[in-house]
PDB file of all heavy atoms in Angstrom:
ATOM      1  N   SER A 134      25.177  63.274 -88.914  1.00  0.00           N
ATOM      2  CA  SER A 134      26.094  64.322 -89.359  1.00  0.00           C
ATOM      3  C   SER A 134      25.658  65.634 -88.758  1.00  0.00           C
ATOM      4  O   SER A 134      24.458  65.887 -88.620  1.00  0.00           O
ATOM      5  CB  SER A 134      26.107  64.416 -90.885  1.00  0.00           C
ATOM      6  OG  SER A 134      26.841  65.554 -91.293  1.00  0.00           O
ATOM      7  N   ASP A 135      26.636  66.454 -88.388  1.00  0.00           N
ATOM      8  CA  ASP A 135      26.281  67.769 -87.841  1.00  0.00           C
ATOM      9  C   ASP A 135      25.753  68.713 -88.913  1.00  0.00           C
ATOM     10  O   ASP A 135      25.151  69.741 -88.592  1.00  0.00           O
ATOM     11  CB  ASP A 135      27.464  68.394 -87.101  1.00  0.00           C
ATOM     12  CG  ASP A 135      28.640  68.681 -88.018  1.00  0.00           C
ATOM     13  OD1 ASP A 135      28.780  68.000 -89.049  1.00  0.00           O
ATOM     14  OD2 ASP A 135      29.469  69.569 -87.694  1.00  0.00           O
ATOM     15  N   LEU A 136      25.995  68.384 -90.176  1.00  0.00           N
ATOM     16  CA  LEU A 136      25.500  69.203 -91.266  1.00  0.00           C
ATOM     17  C   LEU A 136      24.799  68.332 -92.311  1.00  0.00           C
ATOM     18  O   LEU A 136      25.251  67.239 -92.607  1.00  0.00           O
ATOM     19  CB  LEU A 136      26.652  69.953 -91.963  1.00  0.00           C
ATOM     20  CG  LEU A 136      27.452  70.963 -91.124  1.00  0.00           C
ATOM     21  CD1 LEU A 136      28.601  71.531 -91.942  1.00  0.00           C
ATOM     22  CD2 LEU A 136      26.551  72.087 -90.616  1.00  0.00           C
ATOM     23  N   LYS A 138      23.715  69.997 -95.173  1.00  0.00           N
ATOM     24  CA  LYS A 138      23.934  70.766 -96.392  1.00  0.00           C
ATOM     25  C   LYS A 138      25.148  71.670 -96.209  1.00  0.00           C
ATOM     26  O   LYS A 138      25.305  72.293 -95.167  1.00  0.00           O
ATOM     27  CB  LYS A 138      22.687  71.600 -96.719  1.00  0.00           C
ATOM     28  CG  LYS A 138      22.696  72.282 -98.060  1.00  0.00           C
ATOM     29  CD  LYS A 138      21.329  72.976 -98.304  1.00  0.00           C
ATOM     30  CE  LYS A 138      21.252  73.556 -99.695  1.00  0.00           C
ATOM     31  NZ  LYS A 138      22.191  74.652 -99.914  1.00  0.00           N
ATOM     32  N   ILE A 139      26.019  71.699 -97.199  1.00  0.00           N
ATOM     33  CA  ILE A 139      27.191  72.560 -97.145  1.00  0.00           C
ATOM     34  C   ILE A 139      27.254  73.363 -98.436  1.00  0.00           C
ATOM     35  O   ILE A 139      27.208  72.800 -99.523  1.00  0.00           O
ATOM     36  CB  ILE A 139      28.495  71.727 -97.011  1.00  0.00           C
ATOM     37  CG1 ILE A 139      28.431  70.825 -95.775  1.00  0.00           C
ATOM     38  CG2 ILE A 139      29.709  72.654 -96.914  1.00  0.00           C
ATOM     39  CD1 ILE A 139      29.598  69.894 -95.632  1.00  0.00           C
ATOM     40  N   PHE A 141      29.263  76.147-100.813  1.00  0.00           N
ATOM     41  CA  PHE A 141      30.542  76.756-101.131  1.00  0.00           C
ATOM     42  C   PHE A 141      30.311  77.887-102.120  1.00  0.00           C
ATOM     43  O   PHE A 141      29.427  77.795-102.992  1.00  0.00           O
ATOM     44  CB  PHE A 141      31.488  75.721-101.764  1.00  0.00           C
ATOM     45  CG  PHE A 141      31.962  74.681-100.816  1.00  0.00           C
ATOM     46  CD1 PHE A 141      31.282  73.478-100.679  1.00  0.00           C
ATOM     47  CD2 PHE A 141      33.099  74.887-100.046  1.00  0.00           C
ATOM     48  CE1 PHE A 141      31.739  72.513 -99.802  1.00  0.00           C
ATOM     49  CE2 PHE A 141      33.549  73.919 -99.165  1.00  0.00           C
ATOM     50  CZ  PHE A 141      32.858  72.731 -99.042  1.00  0.00           C
ATOM     51  N   ASN A 145      36.260  77.131-101.893  1.00  0.00           N
ATOM     52  CA  ASN A 145      36.516  77.289-100.466  1.00  0.00           C
ATOM     53  C   ASN A 145      37.266  76.050-100.019  1.00  0.00           C
ATOM     54  O   ASN A 145      36.784  74.928-100.170  1.00  0.00           O
ATOM     55  CB  ASN A 145      35.178  77.407 -99.705  1.00  0.00           C
ATOM     56  CG  ASN A 145      35.391  77.753 -98.249  1.00  0.00           C
ATOM     57  OD1 ASN A 145      36.325  77.296 -97.635  1.00  0.00           O
ATOM     58  ND2 ASN A 145      34.493  78.548 -97.710  1.00  0.00           N
ATOM     59  N   ILE A 146      38.459  76.227 -99.499  1.00  0.00           N
ATOM     60  CA  ILE A 146      39.341  75.067 -99.251  1.00  0.00           C
ATOM     61  C   ILE A 146      39.189  74.518 -97.845  1.00  0.00           C
ATOM     62  O   ILE A 146      39.954  73.613 -97.465  1.00  0.00           O
ATOM     63  CB  ILE A 146      40.805  75.462 -99.506  1.00  0.00           C
ATOM     64  CG1 ILE A 146      41.238  76.550 -98.503  1.00  0.00           C
ATOM     65  CG2 ILE A 146      41.014  75.880-100.919  1.00  0.00           C
ATOM     66  CD1 ILE A 146      42.718  76.842 -98.552  1.00  0.00           C
ATOM     67  N   SER A 147      38.241  74.999 -97.045  1.00  0.00           N
ATOM     68  CA  SER A 147      38.317  74.626 -95.637  1.00  0.00           C
ATOM     69  C   SER A 147      36.983  74.277 -95.005  1.00  0.00           C
ATOM     70  O   SER A 147      36.760  74.563 -93.853  1.00  0.00           O
ATOM     71  CB  SER A 147      38.968  75.770 -94.851  1.00  0.00           C
ATOM     72  OG  SER A 147      38.359  76.977 -95.180  1.00  0.00           O
ATOM     73  N   GLY A 148      36.075  73.676 -95.771  1.00  0.00           N
ATOM     74  CA  GLY A 148      34.848  73.213 -95.170  1.00  0.00           C
ATOM     75  C   GLY A 148      35.074  71.917 -94.381  1.00  0.00           C
ATOM     76  O   GLY A 148      36.075  71.238 -94.537  1.00  0.00           O
ATOM     77  N   SER A 149      34.150  71.583 -93.513  1.00  0.00           N
ATOM     78  CA  SER A 149      34.272  70.338 -92.757  1.00  0.00           C
ATOM     79  C   SER A 149      32.885  69.958 -92.223  1.00  0.00           C
ATOM     80  O   SER A 149      31.994  70.774 -92.104  1.00  0.00           O
ATOM     81  CB  SER A 149      35.245  70.483 -91.586  1.00  0.00           C
ATOM     82  OG  SER A 149      34.744  71.351 -90.599  1.00  0.00           O
ATOM     83  N   PHE A 150      32.742  68.651 -91.930  1.00  0.00           N
ATOM     84  CA  PHE A 150      31.553  68.178 -91.233  1.00  0.00           C
ATOM     85  C   PHE A 150      31.970  67.035 -90.338  1.00  0.00           C
ATOM     86  O   PHE A 150      33.060  66.456 -90.476  1.00  0.00           O
ATOM     87  CB  PHE A 150      30.461  67.713 -92.243  1.00  0.00           C
ATOM     88  CG  PHE A 150      30.888  66.634 -93.187  1.00  0.00           C
ATOM     89  CD1 PHE A 150      30.683  65.291 -92.896  1.00  0.00           C
ATOM     90  CD2 PHE A 150      31.504  66.957 -94.393  1.00  0.00           C
ATOM     91  CE1 PHE A 150      31.083  64.292 -93.772  1.00  0.00           C
ATOM     92  CE2 PHE A 150      31.916  65.961 -95.292  1.00  0.00           C
ATOM     93  CZ  PHE A 150      31.712  64.625 -94.964  1.00  0.00           C
ATOM     94  N   THR A 151      31.147  66.708 -89.356  1.00  0.00           N
ATOM     95  CA  THR A 151      31.484  65.691 -88.350  1.00  0.00           C
ATOM     96  C   THR A 151      30.457  64.597 -88.348  1.00  0.00           C
ATOM     97  O   THR A 151      29.250  64.866 -88.262  1.00  0.00           O
ATOM     98  CB  THR A 151      31.573  66.334 -86.938  1.00  0.00           C
ATOM     99  OG1 THR A 151      32.596  67.330 -86.946  1.00  0.00           O
ATOM    100  CG2 THR A 151      31.914  65.272 -85.889  1.00  0.00           C
ATOM    101  N   GLN A 181      35.831  63.929 -87.870  1.00  0.00           N
ATOM    102  CA  GLN A 181      35.695  65.150 -88.680  1.00  0.00           C
ATOM    103  C   GLN A 181      36.293  64.909 -90.048  1.00  0.00           C
ATOM    104  O   GLN A 181      37.387  64.394 -90.180  1.00  0.00           O
ATOM    105  CB  GLN A 181      36.369  66.327 -87.991  1.00  0.00           C
ATOM    106  CG  GLN A 181      36.122  67.648 -88.728  1.00  0.00           C
ATOM    107  CD  GLN A 181      36.759  68.829 -88.046  1.00  0.00           C
ATOM    108  OE1 GLN A 181      37.993  68.978 -88.043  1.00  0.00           O
ATOM    109  NE2 GLN A 181      35.952  69.706 -87.444  1.00  0.00           N
ATOM    110  N   ILE A 182      35.542  65.288 -91.053  1.00  0.00           N
ATOM    111  CA  ILE A 182      35.974  65.141 -92.447  1.00  0.00           C
ATOM    112  C   ILE A 182      36.178  66.532 -93.047  1.00  0.00           C
ATOM    113  O   ILE A 182      35.257  67.360 -93.026  1.00  0.00           O
ATOM    114  CB  ILE A 182      34.925  64.371 -93.290  1.00  0.00           C
ATOM    115  CG1 ILE A 182      34.691  62.972 -92.702  1.00  0.00           C
ATOM    116  CG2 ILE A 182      35.372  64.271 -94.732  1.00  0.00           C
ATOM    117  CD1 ILE A 182      35.886  62.067 -92.764  1.00  0.00           C
ATOM    118  N   GLN A 183      37.366  66.798 -93.557  1.00  0.00           N
ATOM    119  CA  GLN A 183      37.631  68.038 -94.248  1.00  0.00           C
ATOM    120  C   GLN A 183      37.202  67.883 -95.693  1.00  0.00           C
ATOM    121  O   GLN A 183      37.406  66.850 -96.325  1.00  0.00           O
ATOM    122  CB  GLN A 183      39.129  68.369 -94.172  1.00  0.00           C
ATOM    123  CG  GLN A 183      39.647  68.618 -92.789  1.00  0.00           C
ATOM    124  CD  GLN A 183      39.083  69.905 -92.184  1.00  0.00           C
ATOM    125  OE1 GLN A 183      38.837  70.884 -92.881  1.00  0.00           O
ATOM    126  NE2 GLN A 183      38.851  69.875 -90.872  1.00  0.00           N
ATOM    127  N   ILE A 184      36.616  68.928 -96.239  1.00  0.00           N
ATOM    128  CA  ILE A 184      36.106  68.898 -97.606  1.00  0.00           C
ATOM    129  C   ILE A 184      36.566  70.128 -98.364  1.00  0.00           C
ATOM    130  O   ILE A 184      36.588  71.231 -97.836  1.00  0.00           O
ATOM    131  CB  ILE A 184      34.552  68.779 -97.607  1.00  0.00           C
ATOM    132  CG1 ILE A 184      34.009  68.776 -99.027  1.00  0.00           C
ATOM    133  CG2 ILE A 184      33.903  69.871 -96.762  1.00  0.00           C
ATOM    134  CD1 ILE A 184      32.507  68.472 -99.091  1.00  0.00           C
ATOM    135  N   ALA A 185      36.967  69.919 -99.603  1.00  0.00           N
ATOM    136  CA  ALA A 185      37.375  70.995-100.486  1.00  0.00           C
ATOM    137  C   ALA A 185      36.677  70.816-101.837  1.00  0.00           C
ATOM    138  O   ALA A 185      36.276  69.690-102.175  1.00  0.00           O
ATOM    139  CB  ALA A 185      38.888  71.018-100.665  1.00  0.00           C
ATOM    140  N   GLU A 434      40.846  77.033 -89.505  1.00  0.00           N
ATOM    141  CA  GLU A 434      42.013  76.447 -90.147  1.00  0.00           C
ATOM    142  C   GLU A 434      42.852  77.556 -90.781  1.00  0.00           C
ATOM    143  O   GLU A 434      42.327  78.587 -91.232  1.00  0.00           O
ATOM    144  CB  GLU A 434      41.587  75.457 -91.222  1.00  0.00           C
ATOM    145  CG  GLU A 434      40.805  74.264 -90.663  1.00  0.00           C
ATOM    146  CD  GLU A 434      41.643  73.371 -89.790  1.00  0.00           C
ATOM    147  OE1 GLU A 434      42.841  73.233 -90.067  1.00  0.00           O
ATOM    148  OE2 GLU A 434      41.085  72.829 -88.801  1.00  0.00           O
TER     149      GLU A 434
END
Side-chain angles (χ1 to χ4, degrees):
S134 171
D135 62 335
L136 298 176
K138 188 175 186 294
I139 305 175
F141 291 92
N145 188 324
I146 63 171
S147 49
S149 68
F150 58 92
T151 299
Q181 186 178 71
I182 301 295
Q183 296 293 325
I184 178 172
E434 298 293 326

